[in-house]
Amino acid sequence: MTKQNKIQAIQDLTSEFQNANSMIVCDYRGLSVAQLEALRLKAREEDIKVRVIKNTLANIAMRNAQYPQSELKGTNIFVWGNDQIKLAKVVCKFADANEDKFVVKFGYFDGSVVQKDHIVSVSKLPSKEELIGMLLSVWTAPARYFVTGMDNLRKQKEEA
């Protein structure tokens, strides 16, 4: 990779990292190409990006994007996106299916470093759409119960 290519790669990565509000760093040692492609396909469906990046280039891009400093060692794959819950669900589900070869190391959520336990906890939360559905159900409950009560009252009067 030439110096100009590296500079361009760093600029592209910096832009990508600045636009994402969450990122997870994982070890992928031992995964086959087919397994990596399965991860990329699932991530693409959820508007999540997956990329293997040299640690030195990733460190520079993360520093430029103003992520907290972290030490990158070994083989790393970077997974990033804007929806923390979707990101955590995709990564944790893939990690569960490939326990021995794919390990979650740490991540960044809203500019803060988070550890594996936090990422796993977030993956168990309901999705944004599910949360909105729950909230709407709670908001409409009083009106729904009022209408049901009025209907029951009407039925009681008709029977009497």
Side-chain angles (χ1 to χ4, degrees):
M1 186 178 248
T2 67
K3 185 172 183 171
Q4 186 59 34
N5 290 347
K6 289 179 183 178
I7 291 170
Q8 185 61 43
I10 290 170
Q11 289 174 347
D12 294 343
L13 287 171
T14 300
S15 173
E16 291 280 338
F17 292 168
Q18 285 173 335
N19 293 331
N21 72 358
S22 52
M23 178 192 315
I24 299 175
V25 180
C26 304
D27 185 350
Y28 70 100
R29 186 173 303 157
L31 281 181
S32 68
V33 174
Q35 290 169 319
L36 278 174
E37 284 305 312
L39 172 62
R40 285 188 173 108
L41 179 66
K42 181 61 180 164
R44 197 173 300 125
E45 292 172 3
E46 300 293 338
D47 197 28
I48 296 170
K49 300 194 178 181
V50 178
R51 191 158 169 202
V52 175
I53 308 167
K54 291 177 87 173
N55 290 339
T56 53
L57 297 178
N59 266 328
I60 295 168
M62 288 168 36
R63 190 174 337 112
N64 291 346
Q66 300 183 353
Y67 279 81
Q69 187 63 30
S70 61
E71 190 173 326
L72 299 173
K73 292 183 179 179
T75 56
N76 294 312
I77 190 165
F78 297 81
V79 187
W80 68 90
N82 286 320
D83 189 336
Q84 295 172 4
I85 296 173
K86 281 184 184 178
L87 178 65
K89 284 181 184 281
V90 167
V91 169
C92 289
K93 186 175 181 180
F94 188 80
D96 289 343
N98 300 283
E99 291 177 22
D100 51 338
K101 299 175 185 173
F102 189 82
V103 179
V104 176
K105 290 183 173 181
F106 64 93
Y108 300 97
F109 286 177
D110 293 324
S112 300
V113 177
V114 294
Q115 299 305 316
K116 179 182 178 178
D117 295 338
H118 182 81
I119 296 168
V120 171
S121 297
V122 169
S123 74
K124 295 177 181 172
L125 293 173
S127 70
K128 185 177 180 179
E129 291 79 18
E130 291 170 332
L131 288 172
I132 290 171
M134 289 180 207
L135 183 60
L136 288 175
S137 177
V138 168
W139 279 347
T140 60
R144 189 173 50 245
Y145 291 135
F146 177 75
V147 170
T148 304
M150 293 302 288
D151 190 45
N152 288 340
L153 215 105
R154 181 187 56 80
K155 288 179 184 177
Q156 287 175 357
K157 286 185 178 181
E158 288 175 358
E159 290 175 1

